Amino acid sequence: MKKTAAASAVLLLSGILAAGCAGNSNVSNSGSPVQSPAATAGASTSPATAPSPAPEKTPAGSAKPSASPSASAAPGVSPAPSSAVKASPSAAPSAAPSAKPSASPGAAKPSAQPKGESGAGRQALSWYYMKKPKGQVPDFPKETKSFTAKEKAVWVGQGKNVYLTIDNGGPMGETAKLLKTLKENNVKANFFISGNNVKAHPDFIKQLAADGHLVANHTMTHKDMNTLSDEQVRKEITDFEKLYKSITGQDVVKYFRFPYGKYSTHLLDLTSDMGYTSVFWSTAMRDWEPRANGAEDPYNDIMNNLHPGNIILMHQGSKENMEALDRILKDVKKAGYSFGLVSEIKR
């Protein structure tokens, strides 16, 4: 078992992951195969692997990043490492077993670096986590252990708290249903929305702010930051700041999520210097593609990986996520957890 776990960790750390668009600190998008409930019941020992989520479709005009290997982490307090395990949302607590997603981690080539910008800290990294049995905080990439105090990031919070983070660099999905479900369950969520979607849906953004949700910076055009120059990265971030203020009259809260979970330690330094804390994750799923068992799959993915400080990543454009959301929010609370904002996480 130890040899298998070690081998899995080596494969993960070498970048053999599927690309795609979390204790104490950072975590990134990561989807993972879903075990059947029967498997989960007896799976107290060997957690499964979760590949990084695949890129979601970006709004017209924004480039879709190329897949980038290697895992990386974010600074902040990270849970004490245990035997290496691969990450992956596990089986559902529901009676009906969920189907395993067909995709498995595959080799990916690093994203191209801007011409003339190479060297230490510029290696393209892609966030992932290594799942443990339900109720236990996952393990995170080895890079998290080398992050300095300067590199501000979070991937998992503290205590019986859950942080629902919703990404939207692509399709908007059922915005009215989303707002209604969150309001009826008295849950505040954390939204990472690309500037293209902010510009196209100003009333939705105003309503999020009015309802007390946290709306954070997800860049203007949802490009892979590893493919841009430092100047271009800063422009992506500052243009979002200006747009958000022009629509809401408020300054954006200084939290940031790298599109597709792709970053580098250099970029982490750059965003930190701009005052931002990067937010990764400790639970994610393959919600950029149709789910075999409909709303059961996102429900199972989340409930079977529920753990203290859980930073959950889901994509707003997933129809199945929106169908499962009300049940998820109610059952997470029944399990004794409270929902919070990432700005409340202590670093």
Side-chain angles (χ1 to χ4, degrees):
M1 192 67 158
K2 290 183 178 178
K3 290 183 179 179
T4 302
S8 300
V10 170
L11 287 174
L12 284 172
L13 296 174
S14 64
I16 303 181
L17 295 168
C21 186
N24 285 316
S25 19
N26 311 14
V27 183
S28 117
N29 284 8
S30 136
S32 63
V34 178
Q35 301 173 333
S36 69
T40 308
S44 56
T45 51
S46 72
T49 343
S52 290
E56 53 180 332
K57 292 180 182 178
T58 59
S62 44
K64 183 183 287 186
S66 59
S68 143
S70 89
S72 123
V77 192
S78 61
S82 61
S83 55
V85 216
K86 294 183 181 181
S88 148
S90 76
S94 67
S98 40
K100 295 182 181 179
S102 57
S104 59
K109 293 182 179 180
S111 301
Q113 293 176 339
K115 186 175 181 180
E117 296 193 18
S118 59
R122 290 188 182 271
Q123 176 188 1
L125 301 169
S126 184
W127 183 262
Y128 70 93
Y129 60 92
M130 295 167 282
K131 186 183 175 300
K132 288 187 178 181
K134 182 179 178 180
Q136 295 184 32
V137 176
D139 280 334
F140 301 105
K142 64 178 182 177
E143 286 83 9
T144 55
K145 296 182 181 127
S146 63
F147 286 167
T148 66
K150 175 185 176 182
E151 293 157 341
K152 299 188 293 186
V154 296
W155 50 85
V156 68
Q158 303 90 15
K160 293 280 279 192
N161 296 304
V162 166
Y163 308 87
L164 176 62
T165 69
I166 301 175
D167 279 17
N168 198 338
M172 292 294 286
E174 301 178 73
T175 56
K177 182 175 184 177
L178 171 58
L179 289 169
K180 181 173 181 286
T181 302
L182 291 171
K183 192 166 210 173
E184 289 178 346
N185 285 281
N186 193 28
V187 168
K188 305 303 181 194
N190 306 270
F191 287 81
F192 294 88
I193 306 177
S194 68
N196 284 339
N197 275 331
V198 171
K199 184 183 293 185
H201 301 273
D203 291 340
F204 175 64
I205 304 305
K206 289 176 185 176
Q207 192 61 55
L208 289 179
D211 287 353
H213 300 294
L214 185 149
V215 180
N217 203 318
H218 200 34
T219 76
M220 275 301 295
T221 61
H222 205 256
K223 294 186 176 84
D224 178 352
M225 298 290 96
N226 286 297
T227 66
L228 305 180
S229 68
D230 287 359
E231 182 180 354
Q232 290 172 319
V233 170
R234 290 190 187 95
K235 187 174 190 313
E236 285 276 337
I237 294 171
T238 56
D239 281 358
F240 181 97
E241 293 173 348
K242 293 171 188 173
L243 174 63
Y244 182 79
K245 186 158 189 177
S246 72
I247 289 173
T248 66
Q250 303 171 12
D251 290 325
V252 69
V253 181
K254 292 284 186 112
Y255 284 83
F256 179 78
R257 175 161 282 162
F258 286 97
Y260 313 101
K262 297 182 183 218
Y263 70 108
S264 68
T265 54
H266 170 76
L267 290 171
L268 196 53
D269 283 339
L270 188 156
T271 53
S272 296
D273 286 344
M274 294 180 74
Y276 283 89
T277 295
S278 293
V279 181
F280 294 92
W281 54 88
S282 57
T283 292
M285 49 201 155
R286 304 188 65 85
D287 59 356
W288 60 88
E289 60 188 18
R291 310 306 303 273
N293 299 296
E296 282 298 301
D297 282 350
Y299 174 81
N300 291 335
D301 286 346
I302 289 172
M303 296 307 298
N304 286 288
N305 193 40
L306 199 57
H307 55 266
N310 200 166
I311 295 182
I312 297 170
L313 163 69
M314 67 164 54
H315 288 95
Q316 186 173 319
S318 166
K319 175 176 68 73
E320 293 88 352
N321 284 351
M322 295 304 101
E323 291 170 349
L325 187 58
D326 181 69
R327 184 182 173 201
I328 289 169
L329 300 181
K330 286 179 167 58
D331 285 0
V332 166
K333 286 185 176 183
K334 283 180 186 176
Y337 289 84
S338 298
F339 285 91
L341 299 178
V342 294
S343 55
E344 299 164 353
I345 296 176
K346 296 176 183 176
R347 301 189 301 279

